Short mmCIF file of all heavy atoms in Angstrom, two decimals:
data_model
loop_
_atom_site.label_atom_id
_atom_site.label_comp_id
_atom_site.label_asym_id
_atom_site.label_seq_id
_atom_site.Cartn_x
_atom_site.Cartn_y
_atom_site.Cartn_z
N PHE A 49 -239.68 1.86 -42.20
CA PHE A 49 -239.23 1.21 -41.00
C PHE A 49 -239.32 -0.34 -41.09
O PHE A 49 -238.42 -1.08 -40.64
CB PHE A 49 -239.97 1.70 -39.72
CG PHE A 49 -239.44 2.99 -39.08
CD1 PHE A 49 -240.12 4.06 -39.15
CD2 PHE A 49 -238.14 2.93 -38.53
CE1 PHE A 49 -239.58 5.22 -38.52
CE2 PHE A 49 -237.63 4.03 -37.93
CZ PHE A 49 -238.35 5.28 -37.96
N GLY A 50 -240.42 -0.80 -41.62
CA GLY A 50 -240.61 -2.18 -41.81
C GLY A 50 -239.64 -2.79 -42.75
O GLY A 50 -239.10 -3.84 -42.56
N ASN A 51 -239.36 -2.06 -43.77
CA ASN A 51 -238.40 -2.49 -44.77
C ASN A 51 -236.95 -2.52 -44.11
O ASN A 51 -236.16 -3.44 -44.34
CB ASN A 51 -238.41 -1.51 -45.99
CG ASN A 51 -237.39 -1.95 -47.07
OD1 ASN A 51 -237.35 -3.09 -47.42
ND2 ASN A 51 -236.72 -0.97 -47.60
N LEU A 52 -236.59 -1.61 -43.38
CA LEU A 52 -235.32 -1.59 -42.69
C LEU A 52 -235.26 -2.87 -41.75
O LEU A 52 -234.15 -3.48 -41.65
CB LEU A 52 -235.07 -0.35 -41.92
CG LEU A 52 -234.70 0.88 -42.71
CD1 LEU A 52 -234.70 2.13 -41.76
CD2 LEU A 52 -233.36 0.77 -43.38
N TRP A 53 -236.32 -3.07 -41.08
CA TRP A 53 -236.35 -4.18 -40.15
C TRP A 53 -236.12 -5.51 -40.86
O TRP A 53 -235.37 -6.33 -40.53
CB TRP A 53 -237.58 -4.16 -39.29
CG TRP A 53 -237.73 -5.38 -38.45
CD1 TRP A 53 -237.12 -5.52 -37.20
CD2 TRP A 53 -238.47 -6.56 -38.66
NE1 TRP A 53 -237.46 -6.72 -36.66
CE2 TRP A 53 -238.30 -7.34 -37.56
CE3 TRP A 53 -239.29 -6.99 -39.68
CZ2 TRP A 53 -238.93 -8.61 -37.46
CZ3 TRP A 53 -239.93 -8.22 -39.58
CH2 TRP A 53 -239.76 -8.97 -38.39
N MET A 54 -236.90 -5.63 -41.99
CA MET A 54 -236.80 -6.89 -42.77
C MET A 54 -235.45 -7.00 -43.36
O MET A 54 -234.84 -8.12 -43.37
CB MET A 54 -237.82 -6.89 -43.92
CG MET A 54 -239.23 -7.29 -43.56
SD MET A 54 -240.35 -7.63 -44.93
CE MET A 54 -240.32 -6.08 -45.87
N LEU A 55 -234.82 -5.92 -43.88
CA LEU A 55 -233.50 -5.96 -44.44
C LEU A 55 -232.47 -6.40 -43.42
O LEU A 55 -231.57 -7.16 -43.71
CB LEU A 55 -233.11 -4.62 -45.05
CG LEU A 55 -231.80 -4.59 -45.80
CD1 LEU A 55 -231.86 -5.55 -46.96
CD2 LEU A 55 -231.53 -3.10 -46.21
N HIS A 56 -232.63 -5.84 -42.16
CA HIS A 56 -231.66 -6.27 -41.12
C HIS A 56 -231.85 -7.77 -40.83
O HIS A 56 -230.87 -8.42 -40.62
CB HIS A 56 -231.98 -5.43 -39.90
CG HIS A 56 -231.12 -5.73 -38.72
ND1 HIS A 56 -231.64 -5.86 -37.45
CD2 HIS A 56 -229.76 -5.87 -38.58
CE1 HIS A 56 -230.65 -6.11 -36.67
NE2 HIS A 56 -229.55 -6.16 -37.33
N ARG A 57 -233.06 -8.27 -40.73
CA ARG A 57 -233.25 -9.71 -40.46
C ARG A 57 -232.71 -10.57 -41.63
O ARG A 57 -232.11 -11.64 -41.32
CB ARG A 57 -234.75 -10.00 -40.25
CG ARG A 57 -235.32 -9.21 -39.11
CD ARG A 57 -235.83 -10.00 -38.01
NE ARG A 57 -236.32 -11.31 -38.36
CZ ARG A 57 -236.30 -12.30 -37.50
NH1 ARG A 57 -235.77 -12.14 -36.30
NH2 ARG A 57 -236.79 -13.51 -37.83
N ILE A 58 -232.97 -10.09 -42.86
CA ILE A 58 -232.55 -10.95 -44.00
C ILE A 58 -231.03 -10.98 -44.07
O ILE A 58 -230.45 -12.06 -44.37
CB ILE A 58 -233.14 -10.38 -45.33
CG1 ILE A 58 -234.64 -10.59 -45.31
CG2 ILE A 58 -232.49 -10.95 -46.54
CD1 ILE A 58 -235.36 -9.91 -46.38
N THR A 59 -230.37 -9.84 -43.82
CA THR A 59 -228.85 -9.78 -43.93
C THR A 59 -228.30 -10.70 -42.79
O THR A 59 -227.27 -11.24 -42.93
CB THR A 59 -228.32 -8.36 -43.83
OG1 THR A 59 -228.79 -7.78 -42.77
CG2 THR A 59 -228.62 -7.64 -45.15
N GLY A 60 -228.96 -10.68 -41.68
CA GLY A 60 -228.60 -11.60 -40.54
C GLY A 60 -228.65 -13.03 -40.97
O GLY A 60 -227.94 -13.86 -40.41
N ALA A 61 -229.52 -13.37 -41.92
CA ALA A 61 -229.81 -14.74 -42.32
C ALA A 61 -228.64 -15.18 -43.29
O ALA A 61 -228.31 -16.34 -43.39
CB ALA A 61 -231.09 -14.91 -42.98
N ILE A 62 -228.02 -14.26 -44.03
CA ILE A 62 -227.10 -14.72 -45.03
C ILE A 62 -225.64 -14.47 -44.65
O ILE A 62 -224.75 -14.88 -45.32
CB ILE A 62 -227.37 -13.99 -46.36
CG1 ILE A 62 -227.45 -12.50 -46.33
CG2 ILE A 62 -228.68 -14.54 -46.96
CD1 ILE A 62 -227.59 -11.80 -47.63
N VAL A 63 -225.47 -13.74 -43.53
CA VAL A 63 -224.03 -13.45 -43.11
C VAL A 63 -223.55 -14.70 -42.35
O VAL A 63 -224.26 -15.19 -41.52
CB VAL A 63 -224.03 -12.18 -42.18
CG1 VAL A 63 -222.63 -11.99 -41.59
CG2 VAL A 63 -224.36 -10.99 -42.99
N PRO A 64 -222.34 -15.20 -42.65
CA PRO A 64 -221.85 -16.40 -42.01
C PRO A 64 -221.69 -16.18 -40.49
O PRO A 64 -221.33 -15.05 -40.09
CB PRO A 64 -220.56 -16.65 -42.68
CG PRO A 64 -220.23 -15.59 -43.58
CD PRO A 64 -221.45 -14.65 -43.66
N GLY A 65 -221.99 -17.17 -39.72
CA GLY A 65 -221.84 -17.12 -38.35
C GLY A 65 -222.05 -18.41 -37.66
O GLY A 65 -222.30 -19.42 -38.33
N PRO A 66 -222.06 -18.44 -36.35
CA PRO A 66 -222.09 -19.67 -35.64
C PRO A 66 -223.56 -20.37 -35.71
O PRO A 66 -223.70 -21.51 -35.50
CB PRO A 66 -221.69 -19.39 -34.21
CG PRO A 66 -222.02 -17.94 -34.03
CD PRO A 66 -221.82 -17.31 -35.45
#
Side-chain angles (χ1 to χ4, degrees):
F49 272 114
N51 183 40
L52 284 172
W53 177 79
M54 280 193 303
L55 185 60
H56 181 228
R57 300 245 328 152
I58 290 168
T59 55
I62 59 177
V63 173

